[in-house]
């Protein structure tokens, strides 16, 4: 901090981002954990504590987690079901239909 010619201290103003970052709960906890000294344990910061490692069973990539086209998948399943029903109906309709050639003998008198 520099002092001005009038004797007052000149302090650089903090931005909103700096104040929010300082008051953020997660950064406060991380800072406190890093500064604690009791019981001779040191905190090693984890890069992403809420995400499981890639080799664990609970891991799911972001592309699958944030998949948003659920309605499209439901429509695809519904269309497949309708197509299957139509196939069954056509099989019943045309499969049981046999071409009968009947010879009609007309006796004309």
């Amino acid at each position: 901090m520099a002092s001005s010619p009038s004797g007052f201290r000149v302090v650089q103003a903090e931005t909103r981002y700096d104040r929010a970052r300082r008051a953020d709960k997660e950064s406060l906890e991380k800072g406190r954990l890093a500064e604690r000294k009791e019981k001779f344990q040191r905190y090693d910061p984890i890069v992403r504590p809420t995400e499981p490692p890639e080799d664990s069973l609970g891991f799911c990539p972001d592309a699958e987690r944030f998949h948003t086209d659920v309605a499209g998948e439901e429509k695809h399943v519904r269309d497949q079901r309708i197509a299957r029903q139509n196939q069954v109906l056509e099989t019943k309709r045309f499969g049981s239909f046999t071409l009968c050639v009947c010879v009609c003998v007309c006796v004309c008198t």
Side-chain angles (χ1 to χ4, degrees):
M1 291 188 238
S3 60
S4 67
S6 62
F8 292 104
R9 292 185 315 168
V10 178
V11 178
Q12 182 69 28
E14 278 188 308
T15 63
R16 288 183 182 172
Y17 176 73
D18 291 337
R19 280 181 285 170
R21 190 179 56 194
R22 192 170 29 110
D24 181 31
K25 182 178 179 181
E26 187 174 334
S27 63
L28 272 175
E29 289 177 359
K30 284 182 181 179
R32 288 176 182 163
L33 285 172
E35 292 172 2
R36 72 178 180 184
K37 296 176 176 72
E38 67 270 1
K39 296 186 181 178
F40 305 103
Q41 293 179 353
R42 192 74 185 148
Y43 172 72
D44 295 324
I46 302 170
V47 178
R48 295 175 292 178
T50 57
E51 294 182 17
E54 291 185 13
D55 57 345
S56 70
L57 293 175
F59 177 74
C60 182
D62 287 341
E64 291 179 19
R65 282 181 47 211
F66 299 114
H67 187 296
T68 57
D69 192 23
V70 177
E73 288 179 3
E74 291 291 327
K75 183 177 182 327
H76 182 68
V77 169
R78 192 169 52 247
D79 289 344
Q80 283 182 337
R81 189 179 312 127
I82 290 170
R84 192 174 338 119
Q85 287 174 350
N86 288 340
Q87 176 108 17
V88 168
L89 289 176
E90 285 187 26
T91 304
K92 285 181 180 180
R93 188 178 304 136
F94 296 116
S96 65
F97 177 72
T98 57
L99 184 61
C100 272
V101 177
C102 296
V103 178
C104 294
V105 178
C106 292
V107 179
C108 296
T109 55

